[in-house]
Amino acid sequence: MSHHKVAIIGSGPAGFTAALYASRANLDVTIFEGHQPGGQLTITTEVENYPGFEHGIQGPELMDVMRKQIQRFGAKSVYETVTTLDAGKNSFTLTTDRGVTHHADVVILAMGASAKLLGAKGESEYMGYGVSACATCDGFFFRNQDVIVVGGGDTAMEEANYLTRFCKSVMIVHRREEFRASKIMLDRVRKNEKISFALNTTIDEFKGETLETGMKKMTGVVLRDTKTNETREVPIDGAFVAIGHEPNSKLVHGLVEMDDSGYILTQGKSSYTNVPGIFACGDLQDTVYRQAITAAGSGCMAAIDAERWLESQGH
Ligand code: NDP
């Protein structure tokens, strides 16, 4: 059984930045990296919107650099997933999927959110090679190309509109005729000449090829009309899946206050949760921005809040 001053759960930009600030404050920091060390950025390719990298950087490389940076200041990585978290009187108890028990004086939650995916054939294979779950991150790579956006909510409408800044055409593929999106967003999309709709339509398959360089590339999708069941193949350069996000907050259900969708509620502009000694940062508590850089910024806030809280408790 080991005791840590600061336990950080989750290893995306939020968790790593929290670890950086806490370890540089001379605190004993352990980061539980979980089942996807490095978080969502490890399933992207090029990241061009993270400041400090003039020519961009590969997502997995960025997370590797962040890990090396925190190790320089003594933060330790544990490659286990935290399965239970209990609040005791003076400390927290964490157990992991390996059955190991840890204690911590303070806990920073940084488990992130996951974009929901369709589960269609080829979707994972071409993720980062034509398939994306973030138009803000990847839209720029599809300059003058034809893309689709899947979904009928506000995110899909917002992403479709945004993509018309770069793309030749955008087709919104939605499984029914009614939209969840707000009227104003829908109206904006309907007025945009670059955008067309494929309604009552789902995606059966993402198709692609392997280039001579060995790189994969998505080249089209197989669409299915849900009324007639007819399928058709459409050549397309990019596909943005915008069917919602899910915060990875299951671990703290019943312990920490969250909204109806499972996003952790933090107090005011801080990272304080309703449980003293538990702080939250990154996409886990962000329903609006969900960017690597905003997650990193909130990780910094959580470390500073945690450090001050520890001090106030006489640690
Ligand atoms: P939503 O849950 O609102 O919409 C998800 C969409 O994806 C729905 O149209 C849904 O279809 C579709 N969908 C879900 N699962 C599947 C599936 N397996 N196959 C095909 N389609 C699927 O999520 P959003 O991310 O759009 O929005 C989340 C919240 O964020 C909302 O409250 C929204 O208002 C808000 N938001 C606000 C913005 C703004 O105001 N600027 C911008 C973006 C988001 P169906 O309708 O048939 O269930």
Side-chain angles (χ1 to χ4, degrees), residues 4-8 92 104-108 277-279 306 309-310:
H4 319 281
K5 179 85 35 196
V6 182
I8 297 170
F92 298 94
D105 293 332
V106 72
V107 174
I108 296 177
I278 300 187
F279 299 84
W309 182 82
L310 281 168

Side-chain angles (χ1 to χ4, degrees), residues 195-211:
I195 300 176
S196 63
F197 291 89
L199 301 181
N200 299 313
T201 302
T202 55
I203 295 187
D204 265 11
E205 186 178 348
F206 295 85
K207 295 202 137 193
E209 59 187 19
T210 304
L211 305 174

Side-chain angles (χ1 to χ4, degrees), residues 6-72:
V6 182
I8 297 170
I9 309 174
S11 56
F16 279 142
T17 307
L20 176 65
Y21 273 75
S23 56
R24 286 193 77 257
N26 230 2
L27 297 169
D28 152 51
V29 176
T30 298
I31 180 164
F32 292 85
E33 293 218 16
H35 67 274
Q36 192 181 45
Q40 282 191 83
L41 280 185
T42 58
I43 56 163
T44 60
T45 47
E46 185 138 25
V47 179
E48 285 189 329
N49 58 4
Y50 200 88
F53 299 93
E54 186 186 356
H55 303 291
I57 183 167
Q58 294 292 307
E61 193 188 342
L62 176 60
M63 303 323 291
D64 235 29
V65 174
M66 285 194 193
R67 183 178 296 107
K68 285 183 184 139
Q69 192 177 1
I70 65 162
Q71 284 168 350
R72 215 181 117 206

